[in-house]
């Protein structure tokens, strides 16, 4: 999708981020993925908190938010204490009703380049252990399984188990 523009989100984007997340949760439910995301689970305060300690990125087409992801610089909840060698991608989401197939992979590629530009060598993410389709998606994108996190606490929900994946990126800041 060549007409995508990427930028850091700010407070004025909070309603669009919540809309994207809720729509992605509805899409998952329609696909039969019932244990991962739920509409109404995250509000604007969640994204504001992430912006304070990490980055939230928006993908726009025709001045409309059509995708987003969070980029954290540490994730002790899933990975434990780690040296500053990785960026952690969370909540990669697209508006399935308005973007062509492959858009999520394009967003992931931009996130990977951002991590490398920050001088980090690895992109890490965790994937709900019950979502085999998403596991396959990340493996096809070049990620490898490096572990599992049992019983990770969830906002307002029951702890879940996650597969930990990572991918090497250049990470030299160039």
């Amino acid at each position: 999708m060549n007409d995508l523009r990427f930028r850091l989100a700010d407070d004025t984007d909070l309603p669009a981020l919540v809309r994207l997340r809720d729509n992605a949760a509805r899409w998952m439910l329609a696909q039969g993925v019932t244990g991962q995301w739920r509409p109404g689970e995250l509000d604007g305060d969640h994204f504001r908190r992430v912006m304070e300690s990490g980055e939230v990125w928006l993908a726009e087409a025709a001045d409309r938010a059509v995708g987003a992801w969070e980029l954290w610089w540490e994730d002790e909840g899933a990975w434990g204490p780690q040296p500053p060698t990785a960026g952690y991608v969370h909540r990669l989401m697209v508006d399935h009703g308005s973007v062509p197939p492959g858009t999520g992979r394009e967003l992931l590629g931009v996130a990977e380049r951002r991590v490398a530009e920050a001088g980090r060598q690895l992109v890490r993410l965790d994937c709900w252990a019950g979502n085999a389709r998403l596991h396959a998606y990340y493996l096809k994108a070049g990620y490898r399984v490096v572990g599992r996190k049992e019983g990770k606490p969830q906002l307002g929900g029951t702890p879940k188990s996650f597969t930990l994946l990572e991918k090497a990126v250049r990470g030299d800041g160039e």
Side-chain angles (χ1 to χ4, degrees):
M1 186 172 196
N2 295 335
D3 60 346
L4 281 182
R5 291 182 304 110
F6 301 96
R7 66 174 177 83
L8 284 170
D10 61 35
D11 281 356
T12 64
D13 300 308
L14 295 174
L17 290 164
V18 171
R19 175 188 56 80
L20 279 167
R21 173 56 163 64
D22 285 349
N23 287 346
R26 287 183 194 93
W27 181 84
M28 282 184 188
L29 292 171
Q31 301 298 308
V33 179
T34 59
Q36 192 163 345
W37 290 0
R38 294 182 316 272
E41 198 169 37
L42 299 180
D43 60 13
D45 288 341
H46 164 82
F47 294 102
R48 184 180 291 112
R49 283 190 302 274
V50 173
M51 288 178 207
E52 291 170 1
S53 61
E55 300 174 358
V56 179
W57 286 84
L58 272 182
E60 295 178 316
D63 294 323
R64 183 174 189 273
V66 296
W69 70 92
E70 297 175 10
L71 182 56
W72 302 4
W73 299 113
E74 60 182 28
D75 185 3
E76 288 192 20
W79 293 83
Q82 296 286 324
T85 57
Y88 301 84
V89 174
H90 287 275
R91 276 169 274 290
L92 180 72
M93 52 193 163
V94 298
D95 182 349
H96 288 277
S98 66
V99 296
T103 302
R105 182 65 190 95
E106 185 176 350
L107 271 60
L108 190 56
V110 173
E112 292 164 359
R113 286 190 296 279
R114 170 68 186 115
V115 170
E117 288 167 1
R120 307 273 177 122
Q121 295 80 37
L122 298 167
V123 178
R124 291 183 172 149
L125 51 87
D126 58 63
C127 174
W128 178 54
N131 192 336
R133 184 173 164 191
L134 193 55
H135 280 198
Y137 176 85
Y138 287 123
L139 292 173
K140 187 175 180 182
Y143 287 77
R144 64 185 185 93
V145 175
V146 295
R148 186 170 166 103
K149 172 68 177 179
E150 302 294 338
K152 181 181 174 188
Q154 300 298 294
L155 296 171
T158 305
K160 297 177 185 174
S161 296
F162 288 83
T163 301
L164 303 176
L165 300 106
E166 70 181 19
K167 180 179 182 177
V169 294
R170 224 170 138 194
D172 57 8
E174 292 181 8

